Amino acid sequence: MFKVAMIGAGSVVFVKKLLTDILGLPDLHDVTISLHDINAERLETAGMMARWTAEQFGANARVEEHLDRRAALADADFVINMVQIGMHEATLLDFEIPRKYGLKQTIADTLGIGGIFRGLRTIPFMVDMVGDMRELCPDALLLNYTNPMSILTQAVYEAFPEQKVVGLCHNVQNTAADLAEYLNVPVERLSYDCAGINHQTWFLKLRIDGEDAYPRLWQAMEDPQIFAKDKVRFELMRSFGWFVSESSEHNAEYTPYFLKRDDLIAEYDVPVDEYIRRSERNLGRYQDTRKQLLAGESFPLERSVEYGSQIIHAMVTGEPEVIYGNVKNTKLIENLPEDCCVEVPIIVDRNGLRPCHVGKLPPELAGYCAPHTFVQDLTVKAALQGSRDRVHRAVLLDRHAASVLSIKEIRAMVEELIEAHGDAMPEGIRNSLRASEKAKRYA
Amino acid sequence: MFKVAMIGAGSVVFVKKLLTDILGLPDLHDVTISLHDINAERLETAGMMARWTAEQFGANARVEEHLDRRAALADADFVINMVQIGMHEATLLDFEIPRKYGLKQTIADTLGIGGIFRGLRTIPFMVDMVGDMRELCPDALLLNYTNPMSILTQAVYEAFPEQKVVGLCHNVQNTAADLAEYLNVPVERLSYDCAGINHQTWFLKLRIDGEDAYPRLWQAMEDPQIFAKDKVRFELMRSFGWFVSESSEHNAEYTPYFLKRDDLIAEYDVPVDEYIRRSERNLGRYQDTRKQLLAGESFPLERSVEYGSQIIHAMVTGEPEVIYGNVKNTKLIENLPEDCCVEVPIIVDRNGLRPCHVGKLPPELAGYCAPHTFVQDLTVKAALQGSRDRVHRAVLLDRHAASVLSIKEIRAMVEELIEAHGDAMPEGIRNSLRASEKAKRYA
Amino acid sequence: MFKVAMIGAGSVVFVKKLLTDILGLPDLHDVTISLHDINAERLETAGMMARWTAEQFGANARVEEHLDRRAALADADFVINMVQIGMHEATLLDFEIPRKYGLKQTIADTLGIGGIFRGLRTIPFMVDMVGDMRELCPDALLLNYTNPMSILTQAVYEAFPEQKVVGLCHNVQNTAADLAEYLNVPVERLSYDCAGINHQTWFLKLRIDGEDAYPRLWQAMEDPQIFAKDKVRFELMRSFGWFVSESSEHNAEYTPYFLKRDDLIAEYDVPVDEYIRRSERNLGRYQDTRKQLLAGESFPLERSVEYGSQIIHAMVTGEPEVIYGNVKNTKLIENLPEDCCVEVPIIVDRNGLRPCHVGKLPPELAGYCAPHTFVQDLTVKAALQGSRDRVHRAVLLDRHAASVLSIKEIRAMVEELIEAHGDAMPEGIRNSLRASEKAKRYA
Amino acid sequence: MFKVAMIGAGSVVFVKKLLTDILGLPDLHDVTISLHDINAERLETAGMMARWTAEQFGANARVEEHLDRRAALADADFVINMVQIGMHEATLLDFEIPRKYGLKQTIADTLGIGGIFRGLRTIPFMVDMVGDMRELCPDALLLNYTNPMSILTQAVYEAFPEQKVVGLCHNVQNTAADLAEYLNVPVERLSYDCAGINHQTWFLKLRIDGEDAYPRLWQAMEDPQIFAKDKVRFELMRSFGWFVSESSEHNAEYTPYFLKRDDLIAEYDVPVDEYIRRSERNLGRYQDTRKQLLAGESFPLERSVEYGSQIIHAMVTGEPEVIYGNVKNTKLIENLPEDCCVEVPIIVDRNGLRPCHVGKLPPELAGYCAPHTFVQDLTVKAALQGSRDRVHRAVLLDRHAASVLSIKEIRAMVEELIEAHGDAMPEGIRNSLRASEKAKRYA
């Protein structure tokens, strides 16, 4: 018997996806699923979904709902974090205020101005929750699915060096599926070797049945129909030499190349404000799911590509698995900064997670990823140290913001965002003056 | 008796400055000064200047002029490099072609598109000259004064790991003088602790008579007259928290904040195309100096702030000196990439140069410098490996170019520059196809 | 179809063991087995054995015998090295000469005076063979089973940084079986986390069904019958806190604690000269096997614990495996010297081998292993650089030799061994003078 | 005006030496000398000596005596530590108990069983005193002269990472004087480049007037009269290739080569129990000095080779100095363990101390020093963590003890020493059980 706590279980669709994976494995049937959300209705819905799923697989899972997070965490073996702090309203601010200054975004949840502010308002929650974990389930592994992935994972290991934590995403798996489509082969025939930072993990090697598939991919790119499916990422491959994880819409906002001018937005089909639309759709999707549950309808039960269930299986049974996860850079990628958060292959078994040594990335890829690691580091330090200055410096070093705005525009935009998010900002940031303001006082 | 070879001695004004420093030290009078240039008239002028200077100090220096570089290098103890490859004409190309694409520059000799191409056309010369040194004076120390400083110094230690080399600049000393002016104290009362990369070395500590001088500098900045003297660097201090070396005109082109729009150029008084004017003035200055020499006129004989003579003195006499110099990052600055070229304090004595361990830069400063180290690394590798792709990638990662141009504009601009510089480009770059071109052939 | 070359295939018993593992996996039936030995009769025997084994498993393996090593290597995908250079005669010298000076040994194949000299005479062969591989099968993975494991593996990656190589041993697997016996549980219920250097890999974590098994092991040790089975290793656990891999007889000669006095040899049951007896038994075993083959007799066909077949299976099929192997310390174990040869967990799949980051060993274990890494490093450098001095220094730093002999005795013993091994020593070592001898000439 | 606190000022002869150096520099006349000792008579004597010295140099130094250590430390700029914890009586135990087990020593203050126990009883004092410094003079630099140098310096930077500290010794300077004698040149003509750990710092380069002096030193060694002056260190140079710092009598006990047998002791003239005699002489010397002071006699006033006054001068005036000091290994010596305590060149100026990057030691020298760094690390951790096990493991890894004794003899000796030192041992060590004892309880 082991216990999985799901924090932010109101994300019912995602809960169902993970439970389908977990309960679909007979070795994991003897489990306590402990759900937590602050929204009672959503929590109830998640509980219904969990019970329905367990029933389908004939699993003797014990499902608990807790409005009290501490009760959910107590004695957990695995804690899966999937909260969204601030919800749709905060997301709107992250889009609208920058847009007013001329800074457009597509997803805004990872890097850039949106990622930074999502990080700032989520880190206090992470510190609080992991503080509880240290007390209530100190040996549990934290599987973090909440974005911004790298920022939150790094915040955890900086604030709690003893905490076992891994940041999880599906960007590698989904990109593999994309590549299989462009190469017109079943994804099972692909093998690959990836490394980088989350959403900028590079397919360093790509093979079909063991043979290098890159020449074929370069050819595929020349087909305008294929190119059109992934314009930003193919242009990046043409420029930097390797294919990058995640998607064109995400990658468009991580660099200064695609979003700074209207002609480029048009040329590369960049879907500005895309995440606002997705966020609205997610609201609808939740409502539909609840209705279907109440009506006793069925849901499909297919395994997903998420690593969560594989990690739990490997740690519970001892059968090793290899996954991609986000962890502290203990010299794993030698030419990215030490202690930044990197995405690398990891062995999982009963001993927990053992990340692999990657060595050096090609210098163009390290140079592409490195600036983001400093933005992430400054965001984490801004939140943990309560430094308003470091929020500004994080944004000043963001490649996209710096390509569109002046220093003074960035300064005004950041101040307006801090003001607009109000109590959601870490207390130290709200209450601190910038160095230049302090300096004026001396004068 | 020891021997100093000066390569590119046609830079007569600079030769005179260094020789005034060297021959002004009685311990160094017993020296052979071996001058080399490929321009016979300039070489003759340099010889006249060297003899005049030696005479003023009563030094028994032996002055030799060599059109043959190998003769100049043979058995040298110190080799001072001050060449300029391509001269005024190449510099014009580096300004004019980017300007056509909308990319403005001020000095264009360090970083950015101008620094990259100046590097590309100078590295083959460096490899050739240091190859001769390995044969003719393998124990000599190379003091490199030629720009782009970091790129050329790194090219030397990558191509010849055994070669003793240090890159030298006066950006720290000149900035100290600037700071003394803004703080209204004699420079002798200042002490400071600096580290970073050349032209982006940060005054981590700044003291007047041992007391922290930063509060006073923040106050001084509030005086509009003082701010007006160094707008870019004061804005950078306000934003990032520390004062940076070099000058506002240089720094304007190293970041995306000051040169991308006309309003910013106006606001920060950025002198676009400044180096073209300086380069023209230098031509005139040479002519005047030659005339004065031929007319038997006198020149002032004041010590400069250059480190060259101090290094030679320390190595010849064994009396230790502490200088700032550019060397391979053997974990000296822990959060800049290993093996990049860093500017740090160095002990010099009879054992040669021993750089100091700095530790970690504040993360905002490491994040500010790091992108440039990747551009420098890619430029070095492009030239040494003959990779046209890596030229493109160096420019794509330049913070200023990426903030102004699209990928396709960068691509076209780089191709046009490679074409325009013709034989000055490393053979491998001229003859290689980009990966995407190669890929088309497969199709 | 893939090709496995077995070099030193005259070790017929070991060939049979590996082939049983490989051909026992249906995924690996479509293979070319290319056997090489310099002894024609042994090679013929190995071929017979290989064909018999393939037949038992119904594998369509193609078996080739080559007296010409280059023919065996050509186009191989995997090269398995199992040679023994110098054979029984050289081994006798490695025991007898040191014994004359008072230095006793048990196995003499890994570390200490015997390991050093076995390394010195095998490195020239390794350099020669891997030189051929660079030409004939540059992408092949070298699986080295020959001792001294760490010294030979390090020699390969130092001499050929591009060569893919892993050193393989069964010390972890066998120790797990020993521990299962002492703990009286089936080995399948044990899980463990190990790291260190070959033959000194520590069981940092040891669990039965996921629960810490160390308290139970400390109790088991108090049972005199169990203690008596593994006296040296239990005494080491009592002293240093963790259980070490390999066996008591090996470990006895790696430290200064058990072999320096007769009372200690008696107390800890140390089997002096053990390997001489084993080596003689091996000769007999080969003869018996040949006879049985010629007589058409059968052999058992049980899978072994060797990792070879798992590695090949993972790389051929892409199904990941986790093994323990010996590789270059690219900061994997942070408190052992960089670039030494460490034994760590490794992921194997179609991308090859990706070693895991271990972090720091407990300081007592790092302090226990570190001296040996310097001995290994000096042995490798002695052989590759042809430095007689470094042979002496390797032995001076060996913990056991230094505890028994004086500097002058070590000096005489080393000189006598170099002399006795004659042409088997690297040419540079035979022909070089020690620094002190050279110095005398100046006098 | 600045303040120097001298802790353990009852070492009157050493106080006088340092004050002669400090007050002999006119720049340092305006100083407060604050003396502390727990012995009132010795403290009074030190005060008399300090006033006498100040008077000789016409310095307006203010001399204070404090039996209260906190008063002495308050607002100090420099704290010089020269205490001896346990005095003569504890030293006798450190010699006598090991000798009973057959373990002989010469000085017993640095490494080996004597150094370990001297470290264990001094670390609690260091932690206590530096704890006071953090409160009363947090910016002061601690200059530690007390042995065991490396162990105590490491204990300070491990327990108080923010504390500025350097360990100081005269082993490099004295060895330079020895070498000058053997080479028959004035020491001023020597230059050298050293690195290693305290008392095992190697003269990597040695020059006379800039020319390599090693060939001449190898010749000098062949002269039996010169060899006889420094038998152990010459034998080490002959064996390892470089000359080591400190002295033959110290070095004899750091290795397994010279003290394990009576014939070796005789051959190398090793002065067993030497420090007991010195310690007795020191007692007499103090008595004589006090008498002379009371009688109004004069003392010589020659500068010593100690670095203390140079460091203070450089930090007070800002004129840089280069010294050798002991600091945390922040990758300064790449092939010694990170964070161990290394002796390297250091720049001192108003910014404090900046240690130099050394790179890799020759592997034989790193292999020679590395075992000691683990012993030191274990001793520090034993004391700070209160781990009786780690005391045992430190001794087990000592090269000399392990070459003479068995594990059980070491175990008994360590237990007897812990018992004999009683309250002087850190409380955690006195009260903790060894792992094997704890294990027995489970049984």
Side-chain angles (χ1 to χ4, degrees), chain B residues 192-193 207 351 354-355 357, chain D residues 192-193 207 351 354-355 357:
Chain B
Y192 41 86
D193 199 2
R207 296 196 185 85
N351 293 306
R354 289 181 290 196
H357 180 257
Chain D
Y192 42 85
D193 199 3
R207 297 195 185 85
N351 294 307
R354 289 181 291 198
H357 180 258

Side-chain angles (χ1 to χ4, degrees), chain A residues 290-311:
Chain A
R290 180 165 170 86
K291 269 184 224 149
Q292 289 170 282
L293 269 171
L294 291 170
E297 291 181 27
S298 261
F299 300 84
L301 285 168
E302 280 155 28
R303 284 195 70 73
S304 79
V305 297
E306 302 294 343
Y307 291 124
S309 66
Q310 289 171 259
I311 292 173

Side-chain angles (χ1 to χ4, degrees), chain D residues 258-317:
Chain D
F258 306 104
L259 255 175
K260 68 175 168 250
R261 297 192 324 233
D262 288 341
D263 62 319
L264 298 169
I265 292 171
E267 176 175 359
Y268 292 102
D269 298 335
V270 182
V272 175
D273 292 339
E274 168 69 12
Y275 189 72
I276 299 178
R277 295 185 287 274
R278 289 191 197 174
S279 180
E280 284 161 0
R281 275 202 303 276
N282 285 343
L283 291 172
R285 201 133 60 118
Y286 162 71
Q287 296 301 347
D288 295 347
T289 303
R290 180 165 169 86
K291 271 184 223 149
Q292 288 170 284
L293 269 171
L294 291 169
E297 292 181 27
S298 259
F299 300 84
L301 285 168
E302 279 155 28
R303 283 195 72 71
S304 79
V305 297
E306 302 294 344
Y307 290 125
S309 66
Q310 288 171 261
I311 292 173
I312 295 173
H313 187 267
M315 290 185 68
V316 167
T317 66

Side-chain angles (χ1 to χ4, degrees), chain D residues 181-182 224-232 234 248-249 269:
Chain D
E181 184 194 335
Y182 308 149
Q225 285 190 301
I226 292 178
F227 185 86
K229 291 180 180 179
D230 224 341
K231 287 185 176 177
V232 165
F234 276 123
S248 275
E249 61 268 25
D269 298 335

Side-chain angles (χ1 to χ4, degrees), chain B residues 44-350:
Chain B
E44 182 199 55
T45 315
M48 289 162 64
M49 181 58 95
R51 286 191 188 83
W52 180 85
T53 309
E55 201 178 319
Q56 302 309 306
F57 287 110
N60 60 337
R62 185 170 157 223
V63 176
E64 308 172 346
E65 293 101 336
H66 294 286
L67 280 167
D68 173 10
R69 192 178 66 204
R70 293 175 58 88
L73 292 174
D75 299 320
D77 297 288
F78 302 94
V79 175
I80 304 181
N81 181 42
M82 54 183 93
V83 302
Q84 208 201 118
I85 303 297
M87 302 298 287
H88 190 63
E89 293 64 33
T91 297
L92 283 180
L93 292 177
D94 288 346
F95 274 93
E96 286 168 4
I97 292 173
R99 198 200 299 124
K100 221 174 59 182
Y101 286 83
L103 190 62
K104 290 166 187 157
Q105 296 176 91
T106 52
I107 311 292
D109 68 346
T110 318
L111 293 163
I113 188 72
I116 291 167
F117 272 86
R118 185 177 277 248
L120 291 176
R121 66 178 181 269
T122 310
I123 289 173
F125 161 81
M126 297 300 284
V127 169
D128 203 47
M129 181 189 67
V130 180
D132 284 351
M133 288 180 65
R134 301 312 304 149
E135 180 188 337
L136 301 164
C137 53
D139 290 332
L141 172 70
L142 174 60
L143 298 87
N144 180 51
Y145 274 105
T146 296
N147 273 320
M149 171 58 59
S150 304
I151 286 170
L152 299 185
T153 304
Q154 181 170 348
V156 170
Y157 64 62
E158 292 218 348
F160 301 95
E162 302 299 314
Q163 176 63 43
K164 295 183 222 159
V165 59
V166 62
L168 295 173
C169 184
H170 40 244
N171 68 136
V172 167
Q173 307 96 300
N174 285 355
T175 300
D178 295 340
L179 289 168
E181 183 194 335
Y182 307 151
L183 291 164
N184 197 23
V185 294
V187 72
E188 293 73 27
R189 289 178 55 199
L190 285 187
S191 65
Y192 41 86
D193 199 2
C194 299
I197 60 172
N198 183 239
H199 286 198
Q200 283 177 22
T201 291
W202 300 86
F203 281 66
L204 300 172
K205 289 182 188 163
L206 178 67
R207 296 196 185 85
I208 301 175
D209 303 335
E211 292 296 309
D212 183 11
Y214 260 113
R216 200 161 145 181
L217 186 62
W218 283 93
Q219 283 176 42
M221 180 180 68
E222 294 298 315
D223 176 341
Q225 286 190 302
I226 293 177
F227 185 86
K229 291 180 180 178
D230 223 341
K231 287 183 175 178
V232 164
R233 293 203 289 173
F234 276 123
E235 191 70 278
L236 289 173
M237 177 173 98
R238 182 180 280 150
S239 302
F240 288 94
W242 284 267
F243 205 80
V244 71
S245 71
E246 235 327 290
S247 61
S248 274
E249 61 267 26
H250 272 87
N251 276 284
E253 69 185 0
Y254 302 158
T255 69
Y257 311 124
F258 305 105
L259 255 175
K260 69 175 167 250
R261 298 192 323 233
D262 288 342
D263 63 317
L264 297 169
I265 292 171
E267 179 177 355
Y268 292 101
D269 298 337
V270 182
V272 175
D273 290 340
E274 169 68 12
Y275 189 73
I276 299 178
R277 295 184 288 274
R278 290 191 196 174
S279 180
E280 283 160 0
R281 274 202 303 276
N282 285 343
L283 291 173
R285 203 132 60 116
Y286 162 72
Q287 295 303 345
D288 294 347
T289 302
R290 180 164 169 87
K291 269 184 223 149
Q292 288 169 285
L293 269 171
L294 291 170
E297 291 181 28
S298 259
F299 299 84
L301 285 169
E302 280 154 27
R303 284 196 70 72
S304 79
V305 297
E306 302 294 344
Y307 290 124
S309 66
Q310 290 171 258
I311 292 172
I312 294 173
H313 187 267
M315 290 184 67
V316 167
T317 67
E319 292 171 28
E321 284 277 358
V322 178
I323 62 143
Y324 282 90
N326 294 274
V327 293
K328 182 174 170 175
N329 188 22
T330 51
K331 306 172 190 169
L332 302 170
I333 300 186
E334 295 179 12
N335 52 358
L336 288 183
E338 221 174 306
D339 301 341
C340 79
C341 187
V342 289
E343 194 161 272
V344 293
I346 298 174
I347 300 177
V348 194
D349 61 15
R350 207 168 256 145

